[in-house]
Amino acid sequence: MRKRNRVEERMEEDEVQEIRDMSPEEEDLIHRLYCLLGDRWKLIAGRLPNRTAEEVEKYWKMKEIENIEKNRNIYKPICIKPSPFFKFSMHN
């Protein structure tokens, strides 16, 4: 059982390494096609030689998680209480 878990972990590490080995051109194309097609991974993978839909989807989800973790501290709500002298007007 332990040996099987180690083998599975190595396989997962190899998959992650393959995903990380995407070229900048592939990354750019995936990003542009995702913006155009959404999460239609099979169509996107069809434009990338030697990439499967599963690889492309895993890559995209990994990048999303990295971006969320990187930007976690950026999107903090700011509450500002206007001073009593502040007047909001729609007219100039």
Side-chain angles (χ1 to χ4, degrees), residues 4-20 58 62:
R4 182 178 178 193
N5 288 339
R6 287 184 196 151
V7 170
E8 287 176 4
E9 286 176 11
R10 284 189 202 132
M11 287 173 55
E12 288 176 10
E13 288 173 7
D14 290 344
E15 287 176 7
V16 169
Q17 187 61 38
E18 282 182 25
I19 293 169
R20 288 186 182 151
K58 284 180 185 177
M62 184 182 73

Side-chain angles (χ1 to χ4, degrees), residues 15-65:
E15 287 176 7
V16 169
Q17 187 61 38
E18 282 182 25
I19 293 169
R20 288 186 182 151
D21 288 342
M22 294 256 184
S23 70
E25 292 83 12
E26 286 176 315
E27 291 179 11
D28 181 56
L29 186 58
I30 291 170
H31 178 74
R32 287 189 286 128
L33 289 173
Y34 182 82
C35 290
L36 183 66
L37 302 170
D39 61 354
R40 298 168 79 187
W41 305 117
K42 194 169 183 178
L43 288 174
I44 295 171
R47 300 288 181 194
L48 299 166
N50 303 319
R51 296 288 182 183
T52 65
E54 292 80 21
E55 283 179 313
V56 174
E57 182 178 7
K58 284 180 185 177
Y59 164 79
W60 186 259
K61 293 194 187 238
M62 184 182 73
K63 284 294 188 180
E64 275 186 334
I65 290 168

Side-chain angles (χ1 to χ4, degrees), residues 63-82:
K63 284 294 188 180
E64 275 186 334
I65 290 168
E66 286 177 1
N67 287 337
I68 289 170
E69 289 174 355
K70 188 185 333 176
N71 297 330
R72 183 170 290 170
N73 295 327
I74 293 175
Y75 302 111
K76 290 186 178 178
I78 300 173
C79 297
I80 300 173
K81 183 177 178 184

